[in-house]
Amino acid sequence: MKKEDKEPKALTSEQLTGLRTGRHKEVAAGVPAVFVSMKHVFKAMGPIRGTKALLNLNQKGGIDCPGCAWPDPDDERSTVAEYCENGAKAIAEEATSKKVNTDFFAKNSVYELSLLSDYEIGKEGRIAQPMYLPEGATHYEEIAWDDAFTLIAKHLNRLESPDEAIFYTSGRTSNEAAFVYQLFVREYGTNNLPDCSNMCHESTSTALSESIGIGKGTVKLEDFYEAEVIMIMGQNPGTNHPRMLSALQKGKRNGATIIAVNPIVETGLLAFSNPQELKGMLGISTQLTDLYLQVKINGDLALLQALAKLMLEEEDKNPGSVFDQDFIKEKTHGAQEYLAHIRTVDLDDLIAISGIPLEQLKETAAILCKKKKIIICWAMGLTQHKNAVYTIKEVINLLLLKGSMGKPGAGACPVRGHSNVQGDRTVGIFDRPSKELLDSLQEEFGFNPPREDGYDVVKSVEAMHEGKAKVFFGMGGNFSMATPDTAYTAEALRKCNLTVHVSTKLNRSHLVHGKEALILPCFGRTDKDAIKDELQFLSVENSTGVVHSTRGSLTPISDKLMSEPYIVCKMAKATLKDSKVDWNAYMNHYDAIRESIAACIPGFTDYNKKVRQPGGFYLPNGARYNQYKTETGKANFNVRKVTPHPVKESEFMMMTIRSHDQYNTTIYGLNDRYRGVYNERRVIFMNAKDMERLALKEKDLVDLYNHNDNRVRKAPKFVVIPYNIPQQSVATYLPEANVLVPIASTSDKSNQPTSKSVVITIKKHEPALEDAV
């Protein structure tokens, strides 16, 4: 037989994807983290620019990391390396000296760029000038700033209603930019202010507001050093908040017991090799987790109620020995109703739903029974489920039973995923603003802000898809890839008359555009921002409610960039006729913005003075001191029946996760070294028994399907990786698997997408013609 007559041979997954696999790492950070950090930074911007950025990162008066919102130490900080591996990667991405100029856009059509991977798109560099895509055009072209603002104003002013415009905010946006942004949007006439919190911690804000009267955590960083128990639920600190590992290490050395609750055994929860210590550099690590509860996906509510039941049994034997009865009586509401509910729940049912054996539950309950200072941390492993609000309220129930609120070493700690997502909400970025905020804006500025609720992320996508919204404006972020139901969201954006993105770098959302599109390049956190030769600074809020400054120290890569506050003010001046706001004052100095924030937002009195203090200042937090601004005036227990969430024998519960080489939708690289995955992102982590049941082998190619709402959603060509995960639970990376997350599947009360409770089916990939040689 001649060579050309041979049967086509299907390529292996390694040939198709380049995937390599290795051992799951047992220790996080250490020397490898230092090596990888330096490699990313120096490759992106060279040793001089890179070293300057790193030495200023997270220092008092320096650059706030554009990554996560983990707090900086109030007192002691390393003068050399107050950052983590992912912080270094974030700086390398933002401060890269590589840039995309007009020649790049002239050579590459939108279609050609869309064929690149998200990783390849992000590596093209910083956007150096404003770009415009005319209707029907194939290539972006440069546009003057004033012409861009005129175009935006034309589109906004010809809408039949301001509610036909969507104004999205990314968590990277500073307090100053966020405040003037929401001010412009509300004077324009809408509350359509969706933000990234709608997709990450909206369930947290909803649950905590109803339970303790504030949608934020109650702990300070030093509380971790005094805690007797630290429970980490649905969070992977080693990858998503690596600087948290230092706090856990210090707490552990001070005697804390650490309990991890996660469907996957994560390296960052096992052990930590601190690269800022000699022992860490020598490879000597600190064991972190004492007890690992490998819960089924969305089994957390059942787990917490099982623990409450076991603790109640011990309390009944010796009243007052387990629960803090004085605290419950004086500071809480609804305890008796809650305990009556716990007496009725069936422990066997809770064990089946949670997936945690009785022996482990008893061991955990015994630890909690004996301790009084308990911190419970959580992230999106709790917030992205149908019952997420109730699960978080159950976290509060446990803390209230133990009196672990309003005292040192105890409390609730939602760990925010983006560096100022909490601050943006504080200064007014919210589609459902409070009456108090709107009243203060009206009193301060003299215009009538709209009183009707606006669109959150899900409602925004639906409105664009239905033709009810015609202009989309994105203040940072990568909306098309961060949102659920990728194909549906893309259809929605393409129906818009105009899409606008304020961005530092190229991303896929610039390629999923409306009839006309603009890219407005802005300063990053690392860039110097000068007005009339005076260097300005901005401010942000971290997860523990500390507001502090951030000041860039690097020369911008182009003289055609603008700051986010400046962009908003210029847009407002172009759009609003007879505005009541002095936008020129804000453009002359950011102190003027902070004066307005101080006048409108509680807790910001003397803002300009306090934010200049080294390390900043704490915002008021009543729950931290047992002052609960709820309807009852107390911390509220919540009663919720646990209902099973079964999947059929042919189905799996999928959760989306990050790799160690990404932050949200920003892909730093193709490796996930803690999980032993290299050079590939389209992977699915499966239990080996499930693989056997489906006759799948390691590295087989499969197609993933979701069938919610009678629509077929397909994610093709994922590589199977056997992993330590409960049966019928699987994990995939975002944003690649976001296409499977149904737009209509959201959490009760918060309307947050359920990206960690996605029911899918798995079929072996049938090689198509393009897979063969």
Side-chain angles (χ1 to χ4, degrees):
M1 182 183 290
K2 296 180 180 179
K3 183 177 181 181
E4 57 267 27
D5 294 331
K6 288 184 178 179
E7 289 285 332
K9 181 180 178 182
L11 296 177
T12 65
S13 59
E14 289 93 335
Q15 291 171 312
L16 279 172
T17 68
L19 169 71
R20 293 186 295 108
T21 55
R23 290 181 57 195
H24 179 282
K25 298 293 185 291
E26 300 297 328
V27 178
V31 173
V34 176
F35 175 77
V36 171
S37 299
M38 297 304 103
K39 179 180 177 181
H40 275 263
V41 170
F42 295 153
K43 181 180 179 181
M45 55 180 129
I48 296 176
R49 183 177 170 91
T51 300
K52 184 176 182 180
L54 291 177
L55 289 175
N56 279 280
L57 187 57
N58 294 322
Q59 298 298 326
K60 294 178 181 180
I63 304 165
D64 184 66
C65 179
C68 78
W70 187 252
D72 305 306
D74 287 340
D75 299 317
E76 298 179 9
R77 297 191 192 182
S78 169
T79 57
V80 178
E82 190 56 58
Y83 54 86
C84 65
E85 175 187 341
N86 271 11
K89 291 176 180 176
I91 288 294
E93 283 288 310
E94 179 186 289
T96 176
S97 54
K98 189 177 180 181
K99 57 185 176 182
V100 288
N101 52 29
T102 53
D103 289 342
F104 172 87
F105 286 103
K107 293 176 182 176
N108 297 280
S109 69
V110 171
Y111 172 73
E112 290 168 333
L113 291 173
S114 72
L115 299 178
L116 301 176
S117 69
D118 292 284
Y119 169 67
E120 291 169 325
I121 292 171
K123 292 301 180 185
E124 293 295 345
R126 290 284 296 271
I127 302 165
Q129 61 286 309
M131 301 301 298
Y132 170 54
L133 185 69
E135 184 172 359
T138 58
H139 291 67
Y140 273 98
E141 58 191 47
E142 186 174 3
I143 185 173
W145 274 106
D146 285 346
D147 292 341
F149 293 126
T150 299
L151 180 67
I152 294 169
K154 181 183 76 172
H155 276 274
L156 290 178
N157 286 327
R158 73 183 182 192
L159 295 176
E160 293 183 9
S161 164
D163 291 328
E164 292 182 343
I166 306 292
F167 298 92
Y168 174 74
T169 311
S170 162
R172 188 207 58 183
T173 308
S174 68
N175 285 348
E176 291 79 3
F179 180 80
V180 295
Y181 188 43
Q182 64 84 33
L183 186 63
F184 159 66
V185 170
R186 291 191 165 108
E187 189 176 18
Y188 172 67
T190 185
N191 284 314
N192 289 347
L193 282 160
D195 71 316
C196 60
S197 183
N198 296 154
M199 296 181 282
C200 60
H201 271 284
E202 199 62 61
S203 297
T204 292
S205 299
T206 302
L208 294 186
S209 295
E210 295 179 3
S211 293
I212 60 174
I214 186 171
K216 304 178 182 182
T218 65
V219 302
K220 295 182 178 181
L221 183 59
E222 56 261 35
D223 288 320
F224 282 84
Y225 313 151
E226 298 185 45
E228 295 175 319
V229 176
I230 302 171
M231 182 179 285
I232 306 166
M233 303 188 70
Q235 184 204 358
N236 177 17
T239 288
N240 300 331
H241 313 92
R243 285 202 299 156
M244 182 179 175
L245 298 179
S246 298
L248 295 177
Q249 181 187 52
K250 191 167 183 177
K252 180 78 173 181
R253 287 173 174 173
N254 290 345
T257 298
I258 297 179
I259 301 170
V261 181
N262 202 303
I264 290 182
V265 176
E266 298 284 19
T267 300
L269 290 168
L270 297 178
F272 171 51
S273 183
N274 192 336
Q276 296 193 30
E277 298 179 348
L278 178 60
K279 287 184 177 180
M281 294 299 289
L282 294 175
I284 301 172
S285 62
T286 300
Q287 177 190 335
L288 295 178
T289 295
D290 297 282
L291 186 58
Y292 209 116
L293 305 180
Q294 202 168 352
V295 69
K296 291 180 180 179
I297 292 178
N298 199 16
D300 308 272
L301 179 59
L303 165 65
L304 290 165
Q305 290 201 7
L307 293 174
K309 188 172 186 68
L310 292 172
M311 293 164 66
L312 179 58
E313 291 175 358
E314 295 303 310
E315 172 71 8
D316 285 342
K317 295 175 185 177
N318 186 8
S321 64
V322 175
F323 298 158
D324 189 333
Q325 296 292 354
D326 290 339
F327 176 89
I328 292 171
K329 181 179 179 180
E330 295 173 10
K331 301 296 183 182
T332 74
H333 172 80
Q336 295 310 311
E337 293 84 350
Y338 173 71
L339 293 175
H341 162 70
I342 292 298
R343 293 185 191 280
T344 66
V345 299
D346 186 287
L347 187 58
D348 290 335
D349 288 344
L350 299 178
I351 290 171
I353 295 171
S354 69
I356 303 300
L358 178 60
E359 295 74 18
Q360 274 198 314
L361 289 172
K362 287 183 174 179
E363 185 179 358
T364 307
I367 294 170
L368 297 174
C369 282
K370 297 174 184 177
K371 306 298 183 181
K372 297 181 179 179
K373 294 183 176 182
I374 301 168
I375 292 175
I376 302 183
C377 312
W378 69 91
M380 288 183 285
L382 258 60
T383 66
Q384 292 182 327
H385 301 286
K386 179 73 172 173
N387 59 354
V389 171
Y390 306 114
T391 299
I392 295 163
K393 287 185 174 183
E394 199 69 42
V395 168
I396 301 302
N397 288 345
L398 192 153
L399 292 172
L400 296 181
L401 288 175
K402 295 295 298 179
S404 286
M405 293 285 284
K407 65 184 181 184
C413 183
V415 186
R416 305 283 177 172
H418 215 150
S419 59
N420 198 40
V421 63
Q422 187 162 298
D424 291 344
R425 179 62 56 87
T426 298
V427 300
I429 299 295
F430 194 29
D431 56 281
R432 291 171 285 139
S434 67
K435 180 180 181 298
E436 291 75 16
L437 172 64
L438 299 179
D439 287 347
S440 70
L441 294 178
Q442 184 171 354
E443 181 179 351
E444 179 69 15
F445 298 101
F447 69 84
N448 245 340
R451 300 282 168 165
E452 302 80 17
D453 289 349
Y455 295 140
D456 61 14
V457 163
V458 169
K459 291 178 182 177
S460 293
V461 173
E462 291 172 339
M464 289 186 288
H465 204 277
E466 294 167 10
K468 295 178 181 178
K470 298 179 175 65
V471 173
F472 175 87
F473 190 101
M475 181 60 72
N478 184 1
F479 188 83
S480 70
M481 298 309 292
T483 47
D485 222 334
T486 310
Y488 182 91
T489 297
E491 291 172 1
L493 288 166
R494 289 183 174 121
K495 291 182 179 181
C496 289
N497 293 331
L498 175 69
T499 51
V500 184
H501 294 276
V502 178
S503 305
T504 56
K505 299 186 69 180
L506 195 66
N507 65 53
R508 190 166 298 279
S509 292
H510 305 142
L511 313 176
V512 182
H513 54 79
K515 294 175 184 176
E516 295 179 84
L518 286 168
I519 307 173
L520 306 181
C522 66
F523 292 145
R525 291 270 178 88
T526 56
D527 292 322
K528 290 180 181 178
D529 182 0
I531 298 176
K532 297 178 181 177
D533 296 326
E534 182 179 352
L535 288 177
Q536 303 287 310
F537 69 88
L538 297 166
S539 57
V540 295
E541 178 186 345
N542 66 33
S543 278
T544 58
V546 175
V547 176
H548 60 92
S549 66
T550 176
R551 189 190 306 266
S553 61
L554 302 181
T555 301
I557 54 95
S558 168
D559 59 4
K560 294 183 179 181
L561 309 184
M562 278 190 187
S563 72
E564 289 176 327
Y566 215 85
I567 289 171
V568 173
C569 292
K570 295 279 282 186
M571 177 170 61
K573 290 179 65 177
T575 305
L576 303 175
K577 307 303 179 185
D578 302 318
S579 174
K580 304 291 187 181
V581 179
D582 188 351
W583 302 103
N584 286 328
Y586 295 159
M587 294 168 64
N588 286 334
H589 204 290
Y590 299 157
D591 275 358
I593 303 176
R594 287 186 283 271
E595 288 295 332
S596 291
I597 294 175
C600 298
I601 308 297
F604 284 87
T605 303
D606 294 328
Y607 192 2
N608 275 312
K609 178 181 178 181
K610 291 189 293 187
V611 78
R612 285 175 164 85
Q613 298 170 355
F617 63 98
Y618 280 93
L619 288 173
N621 188 317
R624 186 174 285 155
Y625 305 102
N626 283 319
Q627 299 165 7
Y628 302 105
K629 294 183 179 180
T630 63
E631 292 183 1
T632 64
K634 296 184 175 183
N636 295 317
F637 280 90
N638 181 72
V639 176
R640 183 68 180 183
K641 182 180 179 181
V642 177
T643 55
H645 28 267
V647 291
K648 299 175 183 176
E649 187 177 355
S650 60
E651 295 175 335
F652 296 83
M653 188 69 78
M654 183 193 82
M655 63 178 182
T656 60
I657 60 176
R658 299 178 192 164
S659 81
H660 193 65
D661 240 359
Q662 76 177 97
Y663 195 78
N664 295 336
T665 59
T666 301
I667 313 301
Y668 300 138
L670 301 179
N671 298 332
D672 191 358
R673 73 173 188 276
Y674 287 173
R675 299 188 183 108
V677 176
Y678 301 89
N679 205 39
E680 181 53 54
R681 292 187 49 80
R682 297 182 73 85
V683 301
I684 179 169
F685 298 100
M686 294 184 67
N687 184 289
K689 292 182 179 179
D690 288 329
M691 292 171 56
E692 182 179 354
R693 182 165 57 87
L694 295 184
L696 295 174
K697 303 186 301 296
E698 181 175 359
K699 299 183 182 180
D700 274 351
L701 283 176
V702 295
D703 299 331
L704 314 180
Y705 297 86
N706 171 271
H707 296 87
N708 278 46
D709 310 317
N710 297 315
R711 285 180 53 215
V712 178
R713 299 169 181 84
K714 180 180 178 181
K717 295 184 183 179
F718 274 64
V719 185
V720 175
I721 303 292
Y723 214 73
N724 186 357
I725 188 171
Q727 284 185 257
Q728 287 194 278
S729 295
V730 296
T732 53
Y733 298 137
L734 64 89
E736 288 81 359
N738 284 358
V739 67
L740 299 170
V741 183
I743 190 71
S745 179
T746 60
S747 305
D748 294 341
K749 290 197 170 189
S750 68
N751 206 37
Q752 181 172 335
T754 57
S755 300
K756 286 184 168 52
S757 284
V758 184
V759 177
I760 67 167
T761 56
I762 302 172
K763 294 182 180 179
K764 195 165 185 177
H765 177 72
E766 295 297 331
L769 187 61
E770 65 268 19
D771 296 342
V773 292

